[in-house]
């Protein structure tokens, strides 16, 4: 042993391990000698980290809940309030909430409630692109900090323009989270429960919005609408701080410039595999060259990188078909949330249409979203199975929703609508699973961002005014509701096409060569602490 060590250059000595015979073939490489350094030895395995995958999921669910709680708050009666009303004699009664304090008409009030969308749509692709050069976990911290400051600013606003600008920055802050949270959850979820975890995360959308209605009404009614925003900011502040003080996590498929140190490169190259042998030094040279290319890439113009990534997304037929179906789906859901109570009031003369529609949506949303995720996992979470589930539940759900508006009985309407929405909301986990697994790992953040942009720009944003125009022409809410609901069948048809597309789950694409023979279900989540044996497995970064 001693003689062998004297013959080998010191730069190639790694701990007290014997080197693989192939090391000598490249021991003269200046590239390898320049970066290879001794590996630190560890006498005992590290203690388990508090920041486990399940706790990551809980933290992200709470943050998502606060994001959508804010959307419910701005629309709640206690915060949004009412306009000032004046009689013909000139006597005016004071309004309440934001509308009353800033004397907003319905148009400005509508702009205010959707102003966050401007920041969200502009910033989502920006944050997704920055994830290639800045640690994504830190980007979430930046976004949540912007969100916290902007929400606090809403409570301090003095007029329509000041609160509108603050609402836009609320969208900017939310953009970092919605683009990057789902990939983090997908990385760390157990392989057999990935869609279920995504379902739990997206369950916070209807739940958070409903809680926001109640919270905004209580705080606005007992204190002042400004306090609702200030309390929100206080609740989010610890999570914003957490994004900066915790050791940053790294997304699969992302290697920001400057984050790959020489020591970590050789640590991977010289790590021990499951058979106790060292990885081939040639593999290290490949990794080192990949690191160099990564650094060169970050020096390119960010716009060029973004356009290249967008081109890569658009040629993914599976991803494009999935998003097209999602746009049609969101077109209906957006109008349901806006026009549903009014249609219900006119068709069935509900005095409490808001509560009834809200209650059905919340219960169906929570149960359906979780059920959809668990169902896909039971089917085995593949892209083909996801499309089967998407087209199937959307088609059957559309039948129930369509039938609901055909009945004149209020009770029949509510029962059928509840079943229909339960099935419709089961799509949330599978549709986002396809977005994450149909693209290269380093495009996942951008895929989520562009999916969000597309479903809003072409889905719920234009649907409400278009449905309003249609109703003005036909002047029949039943006809309008039936025509709108029929678009669910289009979404189901688009997703049905996806079943026949050649699809490959690309989650492990970058590590495909090094994971030969390994079962995806046996992979250790990124957050789970690794012993000296598990960290020794050779894998590409």
């Amino acid at each position: 042993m001693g003689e062998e060590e004297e013959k080998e250059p010191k730069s190639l000595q790694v701990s007290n391990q014997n080197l693989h015979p192939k090391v000598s073939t490249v021991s003269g490489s200046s590239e390898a000698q320049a970066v290879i350094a001794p590996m630190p030895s560890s006498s005992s395995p590290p203690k388990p980290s508090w920041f486990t995958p399940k706790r990551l999921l809980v933290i992200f669910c709470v943050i998502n809940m606060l994001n959508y709680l804010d959307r419910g708050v701005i629309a709640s009666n206690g915060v949004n309030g009412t306009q000032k009303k004046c009689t013909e004699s000139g006597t005016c009664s004071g309004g309440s909430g934001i509308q009353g304090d800033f004397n907003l008409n319905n148009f400005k009030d509508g702009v205010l409630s959707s102003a966050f969308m401007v920041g969200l749509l502009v910033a989502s692709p920006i944050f997704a692109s920055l994830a290639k050069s800045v640690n994504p976990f830190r980007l979430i911290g930046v976004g949540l900090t912007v969100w916290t400051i902007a929400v606090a600013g809403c409570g301090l606003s003095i007029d329509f323009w000041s609160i509108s600008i603050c609402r836009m920055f609320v969208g900017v802050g939310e953009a970092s989270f919605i683009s990057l949270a789902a990939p983090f959850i997908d990385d760390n979820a157990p392989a057999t429960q990935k869609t279920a975890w995504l379902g739990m995360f997206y369950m916070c959308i209807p739940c958070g919005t409903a809680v926001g209605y109640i919270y905004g009404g209580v705080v606005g009614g007992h204190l002042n609408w400004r306090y609702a925003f200030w309390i929100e900011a206080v609740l989010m502040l610890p999570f914003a701080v957490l994004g900066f003080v915790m050791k940053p996590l790294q997304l699969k498929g992302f290697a920001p410039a400057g984050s790959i140190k020489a020591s970590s490169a050789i640590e991977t190259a010289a790590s021990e595999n499951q058979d106790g042998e060292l990885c081939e030094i040639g593999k290290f040279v490949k990794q080192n060259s990949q690191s160099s290319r990564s650094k060169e890439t970050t020096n390119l113009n960010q716009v060029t990188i973004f356009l290249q990534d967008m081109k890569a997304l658009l040629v993914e037929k599976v991803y494009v078909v999935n998003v097209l179906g999602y746009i049609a789906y969101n077109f209906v859901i957006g109008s349901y949330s806006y026009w549903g109570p009014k249609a219900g009031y006119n068709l069935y003369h509900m005095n409490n249409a808001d509560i009834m529609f809200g209650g059905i949506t919340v219960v169906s949303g929570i149960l359906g979203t979780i059920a959809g995720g668990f169902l896909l996992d039971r089917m085995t979470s593949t892209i083909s199975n996801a499309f089967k589930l998407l087209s199937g539940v959307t088609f059957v759900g559309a039948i129930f929703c369509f039938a609901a508006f055909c009945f004149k009985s209020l009770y029949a309407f509510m029962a059928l609508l509840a079943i229909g929405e339960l099935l419709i909301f089961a799509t949330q986990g599978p549709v986002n699973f396809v977005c994450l697994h149909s693209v290269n790992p380093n495009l996942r953040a951008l895929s989520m961002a562009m999916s969000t942009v597309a479903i809003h720009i072409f889905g719920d944003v234009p649907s409400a005014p278009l449905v309003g125009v249609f109703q003005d022409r036909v002047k029949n809410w039943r006809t309008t509701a039936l025509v709108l609901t029929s678009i669910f069948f289009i979404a189901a048809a688009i997703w049905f096409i996806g079943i026949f597309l050649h699809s490959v789950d690309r989650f492990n694409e970058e590590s495909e060569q090094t994971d030969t023979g390994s079962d995806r279900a046996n992979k250790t989540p990124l957050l789970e602490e690794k012993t000296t044996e598990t960290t020794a497995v050779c894998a590409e970064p």
Side-chain angles (χ1 to χ4, degrees):
M1 177 68 182
E3 293 178 359
E4 292 179 6
E5 289 180 351
E6 291 177 359
K7 293 178 182 179
E8 296 290 348
K10 291 183 179 180
S11 59
L12 290 179
Q13 295 177 8
V14 181
S15 186
N16 293 321
Q17 309 285 342
N18 289 326
L19 294 178
H20 193 282
K22 291 187 179 182
V23 169
S24 60
T25 61
V26 293
S27 59
S29 170
S30 59
E31 181 182 11
Q33 292 179 6
V35 295
I36 297 180
M39 285 180 60
S41 61
S42 177
S43 58
S44 61
K47 296 180 180 179
S49 170
W50 176 89
F51 199 36
T52 61
K54 289 183 179 179
R55 286 172 178 158
L56 173 74
L57 175 64
V58 171
I59 289 172
F60 279 0
C61 282
V62 173
I63 295 173
N64 205 28
M65 182 84 73
L66 288 174
N67 275 323
Y68 281 89
L69 179 142
D70 176 71
R71 298 193 190 184
V73 164
I74 194 68
S76 66
N77 288 324
V79 171
N80 193 264
T82 58
Q83 290 178 296
K84 294 180 179 179
K85 295 182 180 179
C86 298
T87 63
E88 295 180 357
S89 60
T91 304
C92 295
S93 60
S96 63
I98 297 174
Q99 264 199 306
D101 285 2
F102 298 152
N103 194 25
L104 304 181
N105 56 30
N106 287 328
F107 173 76
K108 286 186 176 181
D109 187 47
V111 170
L112 186 63
S113 65
S114 59
F116 81 96
M117 195 70 72
V118 176
L120 181 70
L121 298 182
V122 171
S124 290
I126 294 176
F127 275 111
S129 297
L130 285 176
K132 291 201 167 193
S133 55
V134 180
N135 185 277
F137 198 69
R138 292 291 187 247
L139 286 176
I140 290 178
V142 171
L144 295 183
T145 301
V146 173
W147 191 95
T148 303
I149 296 172
V151 167
C154 290
L156 296 171
S157 55
I158 57 175
D159 56 18
F160 167 74
W161 289 108
S162 61
I163 194 171
S164 295
I165 292 173
C166 287
R167 295 306 299 173
M168 290 179 190
F169 277 100
V170 168
V172 171
E174 186 178 330
S176 69
F177 181 73
I178 65 168
S179 301
L180 302 171
F184 271 120
I185 292 174
D186 191 53
D187 277 352
N188 294 285
T192 57
Q193 299 177 13
K194 285 183 177 293
T195 321
W197 281 39
L198 288 172
M200 285 185 277
F201 176 71
Y202 286 105
M203 173 203 71
C204 298
I205 295 176
C207 186
T209 304
V211 172
Y213 290 141
I214 300 170
Y215 162 78
V218 172
V219 175
H222 289 80
L223 296 174
N224 185 281
W225 63 267
R226 298 180 185 273
Y227 283 92
F229 292 114
W230 292 336
I231 295 173
E232 278 184 55
V234 172
L235 292 174
M236 184 66 84
L237 183 60
F239 299 104
V241 174
L242 193 69
F244 291 102
V245 300
M246 288 201 66
K247 182 180 179 180
L249 304 178
Q250 184 59 54
L251 276 177
K252 178 181 176 65
F254 284 77
S259 67
I260 303 178
K261 305 296 183 184
S263 59
S264 63
I266 183 54
E267 189 173 330
T268 304
S271 61
E272 191 177 11
N273 61 21
Q274 293 180 352
D275 297 325
E277 298 177 351
L278 293 179
C279 297
E280 298 179 5
I281 196 67
K283 182 177 173 182
F284 156 70
V285 174
K286 175 185 176 182
Q287 291 176 336
N288 189 55
S289 62
Q290 288 176 341
S291 174
S292 300
R293 287 197 300 270
S294 175
K295 293 179 181 179
E296 292 173 1
T297 301
T298 57
N299 294 326
L300 295 175
N301 186 279
Q302 287 293 333
V303 175
T304 303
I305 298 174
F306 173 74
L307 293 176
Q308 291 173 347
D309 289 344
M310 281 298 301
K311 181 180 179 181
L313 274 184
L314 293 176
V315 298
E316 292 289 349
K317 295 180 181 178
V318 173
Y319 174 78
V320 172
V321 168
N322 185 55
V323 173
L324 288 175
Y326 203 7
I327 289 172
Y329 167 92
N330 213 54
F331 187 96
V332 184
I333 291 294
S335 283
Y336 266 21
S337 63
Y338 191 83
W339 294 113
K342 183 167 287 188
Y345 176 80
N346 284 275
L347 289 174
Y348 302 101
H349 307 291
M350 302 181 195
N351 292 325
N352 53 351
D354 290 335
I355 297 176
M356 294 182 70
F357 265 85
I360 292 174
T361 301
V362 169
V363 175
S364 300
I366 293 174
L367 296 178
T369 304
I370 295 178
F374 278 101
L375 183 58
L376 180 57
D377 286 331
R378 290 296 298 271
M379 294 170 62
T380 303
S381 51
T382 64
I383 294 176
S384 178
N385 282 344
F387 276 124
K388 292 175 184 176
L389 185 60
L390 286 170
S391 59
V393 297
T394 303
F395 182 79
V396 178
I399 293 175
F400 277 94
C401 291
F402 193 91
F405 285 102
C406 292
F407 279 85
K408 294 183 178 181
S409 168
L410 173 62
Y411 298 106
F413 166 77
M414 291 179 59
L416 291 170
L417 185 66
I419 297 173
E421 289 198 346
L422 181 71
L423 292 165
I424 291 299
F425 278 112
T427 59
Q428 290 301 302
V431 73
N432 287 288
F433 174 87
V434 176
C435 279
L436 290 168
H437 286 250
S438 62
V439 300
N440 189 281
N442 62 20
L443 293 176
R444 289 182 304 163
L446 184 62
S447 74
M448 295 302 295
M450 297 314 300
S451 171
T452 301
V453 170
I455 64 174
H456 287 309
I457 289 182
F458 302 108
D460 55 3
V461 170
S463 69
L466 288 176
V467 170
V469 170
F470 185 82
Q471 169 60 21
D472 288 339
R473 286 183 175 274
V474 300
K475 300 187 184 303
N476 186 314
W477 278 109
R478 194 178 304 278
T479 302
T480 299
L482 291 173
V483 171
L484 175 65
T485 303
S486 64
I487 298 177
F488 273 141
F489 293 107
I490 298 176
I494 295 173
W495 280 327
F496 184 74
I497 294 172
I499 299 174
F500 303 99
L501 295 177
H502 175 68
S503 59
V504 177
D505 191 326
R506 305 180 66 181
F507 180 79
N508 291 317
E509 184 171 277
E510 290 193 343
S511 55
E512 187 176 356
Q513 294 178 354
T514 59
D515 290 342
T516 303
S518 298
D519 191 293
R520 180 175 132 189
N522 295 328
K523 285 184 174 294
T524 304
L526 299 181
L527 281 175
E528 189 170 318
E529 285 293 339
K530 303 173 179 59
T531 62
T532 52
E533 288 79 18
T534 58
T535 53
V537 177
C538 256
E540 293 181 4

